Amino acid sequence: MNLLNDYQQDCFEKVQRKEDLIDKYETRLGAYLMRLTKKEMTTAQSRQMSLYLSTISDFERIGDHAAYIAYMSNEMQERRMTFSGEALDELNVVMEAVREIINITARAFMDGNQDEANKVVPLGVVVTHLCDELKHNHVTRLSSGVCGLEQGTIFNDILNSFTRIAAHCASITSAMQKASEGDE
């Protein structure tokens, strides 16, 4: 997301390398977890395995969306396109919410903290509503000539990625909830 405000080619390449690594991790972890499911496990271990199997693809998809946002930033750089100041200000607001939802999700997952995880869905609703509002604002800018069609398409694509990232975060915390239900 930082590339939207401050494009740097080396940072773009770093995002692409990380996405490639995430894809490799998903493949290797998925194969390892599938082998483990064939072993005898306790109920708690089985729930943990189910959690990992159901969340691994959500984490990978978040990486895909991050790479796509970086790609859109690269496209804008190559085409020498910019967002209007108003559009960029709006993106920065929703980017902070997306950063927050990602950070909360990661902390909740790593710590197994259901209280933190419970914050994700409400924040996801906020992200979705913000993105919807920004799309509406974009149409207004487009109709008044402040923004061009190409920038608008990229703007909407980025907002769609933000919404999907929030949905993947919610999916992760939902899986955490299901996995912890047997602990009560």
Side-chain angles (χ1 to χ4, degrees), residues 1-7 15 65-67 69-70 73 88 91-92 94-100 102 158 162 165:
M1 290 186 293
N2 293 337
L3 293 170
L4 293 169
N5 286 309
D6 181 25
Y7 185 85
V15 170
H65 289 294
I69 292 166
S73 299
L88 197 52
L91 275 178
N92 282 319
V94 75
M95 279 192 283
E96 283 307 309
V98 171
R99 278 188 187 95
E100 186 67 14
I102 290 169
I158 290 168
F162 288 162
I165 288 169

Side-chain angles (χ1 to χ4, degrees), residues 14-108:
K14 183 178 178 181
V15 170
Q16 299 308 309
R17 285 191 306 272
K18 283 185 176 185
E19 168 51 18
D20 291 342
L21 191 58
I22 290 169
D23 289 344
K24 288 177 187 173
Y25 285 156
E26 179 197 26
T27 301
R28 289 180 184 167
L29 286 170
Y32 177 72
L33 291 171
M34 290 306 294
R35 283 195 310 272
L36 282 180
T37 61
K38 293 175 177 46
K39 306 287 183 186
E40 191 171 319
M41 289 184 257
T42 66
T43 303
Q45 289 169 328
S46 181
R47 277 195 309 270
Q48 196 70 25
M49 191 66 52
S50 177
L51 171 65
Y52 294 151
L53 284 169
S54 65
T55 58
I56 192 171
S57 63
D58 285 307
F59 282 113
E60 190 276 333
R61 291 295 296 144
I62 291 170
D64 287 345
H65 289 294
Y68 184 71
I69 292 166
Y71 172 77
M72 291 286 96
S73 299
N74 180 265
E75 284 292 303
M76 289 186 68
Q77 178 71 18
E78 287 180 357
R79 295 180 184 181
R80 302 206 189 302
M81 293 188 319
T82 59
F83 290 127
S84 68
E86 187 177 349
L88 197 52
D89 288 345
E90 290 176 347
L91 275 178
N92 282 319
V93 170
V94 75
M95 279 192 283
E96 283 307 309
V98 171
R99 278 188 187 95
E100 186 67 14
I101 200 169
I102 290 169
N103 289 335
I104 290 170
T105 302
R107 276 194 316 268

Side-chain angles (χ1 to χ4, degrees), residues 8 10 20 45 56-57 61 65 75 77 85 87 92-93 113 120 130 140 145 147 150 153 155 160 166 174 184:
Q8 295 176 24
D10 60 325
D20 291 342
Q45 289 169 328
I56 192 171
S57 63
R61 291 295 296 144
H65 289 294
E75 284 292 303
Q77 178 71 18
N92 282 319
V93 170
N113 185 333
V120 170
L130 271 172
T140 302
C147 186
E150 278 189 285
T153 300
F155 188 80
N160 288 337
S174 174
E184 298 165 355

Side-chain angles (χ1 to χ4, degrees), residues 133-153:
E133 185 178 329
L134 298 189
K135 286 177 184 180
H136 174 74
N137 293 350
H138 165 67
V139 170
T140 302
R141 282 191 297 274
L142 193 60
S143 63
S144 67
V146 173
C147 186
L149 189 57
E150 278 189 285
Q151 292 97 325
T153 300

Side-chain angles (χ1 to χ4, degrees), residues 155-168:
F155 188 80
N156 279 329
D157 285 351
I158 290 168
L159 292 176
N160 288 337
S161 284
F162 288 162
T163 301
R164 289 182 184 126
I165 288 169
H168 287 296

